[in-house]
mmCIF file of all heavy atoms in Angstrom:
data_model
loop_
_atom_site.group_PDB
_atom_site.id
_atom_site.type_symbol
_atom_site.label_atom_id
_atom_site.label_comp_id
_atom_site.label_asym_id
_atom_site.label_seq_id
_atom_site.Cartn_x
_atom_site.Cartn_y
_atom_site.Cartn_z
ATOM 1 N N THR A 1461 -8.398 -25.084 1.202
ATOM 2 C CA THR A 1461 -8.633 -25.101 -0.244
ATOM 3 C C THR A 1461 -10.076 -25.461 -0.593
ATOM 4 O O THR A 1461 -10.493 -25.286 -1.729
ATOM 5 C CB THR A 1461 -7.670 -26.090 -0.943
ATOM 6 O OG1 THR A 1461 -7.721 -27.323 -0.246
ATOM 7 C CG2 THR A 1461 -6.262 -25.556 -0.975
ATOM 8 N N SER A 1487 2.105 5.178 -18.226
ATOM 9 C CA SER A 1487 1.893 4.043 -19.135
ATOM 10 C C SER A 1487 2.787 2.857 -18.766
ATOM 11 O O SER A 1487 2.396 1.693 -18.900
ATOM 12 C CB SER A 1487 2.111 4.450 -20.592
ATOM 13 O OG SER A 1487 3.382 4.991 -20.743
ATOM 14 N N TRP A 1522 -12.579 8.334 -18.165
ATOM 15 C CA TRP A 1522 -12.508 9.130 -19.403
ATOM 16 C C TRP A 1522 -12.011 10.526 -19.098
ATOM 17 O O TRP A 1522 -11.567 11.247 -20.004
ATOM 18 C CB TRP A 1522 -13.890 9.224 -20.075
ATOM 19 C CG TRP A 1522 -14.436 7.924 -20.568
ATOM 20 C CD1 TRP A 1522 -15.489 7.233 -20.021
ATOM 21 C CD2 TRP A 1522 -14.008 7.149 -21.692
ATOM 22 N NE1 TRP A 1522 -15.728 6.079 -20.735
ATOM 23 C CE2 TRP A 1522 -14.831 6.003 -21.778
ATOM 24 C CE3 TRP A 1522 -12.998 7.310 -22.654
ATOM 25 C CZ2 TRP A 1522 -14.680 5.025 -22.757
ATOM 26 C CZ3 TRP A 1522 -12.846 6.335 -23.638
ATOM 27 C CH2 TRP A 1522 -13.674 5.217 -23.682
ATOM 28 N N LEU A 1575 -14.643 -12.451 -26.454
ATOM 29 C CA LEU A 1575 -15.887 -13.043 -25.928
ATOM 30 C C LEU A 1575 -16.275 -14.250 -26.759
ATOM 31 O O LEU A 1575 -16.627 -15.305 -26.220
ATOM 32 C CB LEU A 1575 -17.031 -12.016 -25.968
ATOM 33 C CG LEU A 1575 -16.898 -10.807 -25.035
ATOM 34 C CD1 LEU A 1575 -18.060 -9.836 -25.233
ATOM 35 C CD2 LEU A 1575 -16.835 -11.236 -23.577
ATOM 36 N N LEU A 1586 -13.738 -14.857 -16.321
ATOM 37 C CA LEU A 1586 -12.983 -13.621 -16.088
ATOM 38 C C LEU A 1586 -13.845 -12.462 -16.585
ATOM 39 O O LEU A 1586 -14.070 -12.322 -17.790
ATOM 40 C CB LEU A 1586 -11.649 -13.653 -16.848
ATOM 41 C CG LEU A 1586 -10.855 -12.343 -16.792
ATOM 42 C CD1 LEU A 1586 -10.354 -12.054 -15.381
ATOM 43 C CD2 LEU A 1586 -9.678 -12.379 -17.769
ATOM 44 N N CYS A 1610 -43.938 0.354 -18.724
ATOM 45 C CA CYS A 1610 -44.703 1.286 -19.570
ATOM 46 C C CYS A 1610 -45.415 0.563 -20.701
ATOM 47 O O CYS A 1610 -46.511 0.936 -21.111
ATOM 48 C CB CYS A 1610 -43.789 2.354 -20.165
ATOM 49 S SG CYS A 1610 -43.162 3.481 -18.930
ATOM 50 N N THR A 1630 -23.672 -7.990 -14.406
ATOM 51 C CA THR A 1630 -23.181 -9.158 -13.673
ATOM 52 C C THR A 1630 -24.215 -10.289 -13.586
ATOM 53 O O THR A 1630 -24.022 -11.219 -12.791
ATOM 54 C CB THR A 1630 -22.802 -8.744 -12.234
ATOM 55 O OG1 THR A 1630 -23.895 -7.988 -11.695
ATOM 56 C CG2 THR A 1630 -21.543 -7.915 -12.198
ATOM 57 N N LEU A 1638 -15.726 -11.718 -2.161
ATOM 58 C CA LEU A 1638 -14.577 -10.963 -1.654
ATOM 59 C C LEU A 1638 -14.219 -9.870 -2.651
ATOM 60 O O LEU A 1638 -14.142 -10.134 -3.852
ATOM 61 C CB LEU A 1638 -13.388 -11.935 -1.493
ATOM 62 C CG LEU A 1638 -12.014 -11.340 -1.231
ATOM 63 C CD1 LEU A 1638 -11.962 -10.618 0.118
ATOM 64 C CD2 LEU A 1638 -10.935 -12.443 -1.269
ATOM 65 N N PHE A 1663 -8.513 -4.574 1.902
ATOM 66 C CA PHE A 1663 -7.707 -3.489 1.345
ATOM 67 C C PHE A 1663 -6.231 -3.794 1.549
ATOM 68 O O PHE A 1663 -5.804 -4.072 2.669
ATOM 69 C CB PHE A 1663 -8.078 -2.159 2.018
ATOM 70 C CG PHE A 1663 -9.519 -1.779 1.782
ATOM 71 C CD1 PHE A 1663 -10.457 -1.882 2.798
ATOM 72 C CD2 PHE A 1663 -9.939 -1.348 0.530
ATOM 73 C CE1 PHE A 1663 -11.793 -1.544 2.574
ATOM 74 C CE2 PHE A 1663 -11.260 -1.013 0.291
ATOM 75 C CZ PHE A 1663 -12.196 -1.110 1.324
ATOM 76 N N ILE A 1677 -3.399 -14.979 -1.965
ATOM 77 C CA ILE A 1677 -3.599 -15.996 -0.919
ATOM 78 C C ILE A 1677 -3.851 -15.313 0.435
ATOM 79 O O ILE A 1677 -4.734 -15.719 1.193
ATOM 80 C CB ILE A 1677 -2.362 -16.932 -0.810
ATOM 81 C CG1 ILE A 1677 -2.125 -17.677 -2.112
ATOM 82 C CG2 ILE A 1677 -2.472 -17.872 0.382
ATOM 83 C CD1 ILE A 1677 -2.923 -18.916 -2.326
ATOM 84 N N THR A 1682 -7.502 -14.067 4.858
ATOM 85 C CA THR A 1682 -8.220 -13.101 5.700
ATOM 86 C C THR A 1682 -9.718 -13.321 5.560
ATOM 87 O O THR A 1682 -10.458 -13.354 6.545
ATOM 88 C CB THR A 1682 -7.839 -11.653 5.299
ATOM 89 O OG1 THR A 1682 -6.416 -11.546 5.357
ATOM 90 C CG2 THR A 1682 -8.473 -10.630 6.206
#
Side-chain angles (χ1 to χ4, degrees):
T1461 49
S1487 56
W1522 295 109
L1575 293 177
L1586 174 67
C1610 291
T1630 49
L1638 169 65
F1663 298 106
I1677 299 277
T1682 306

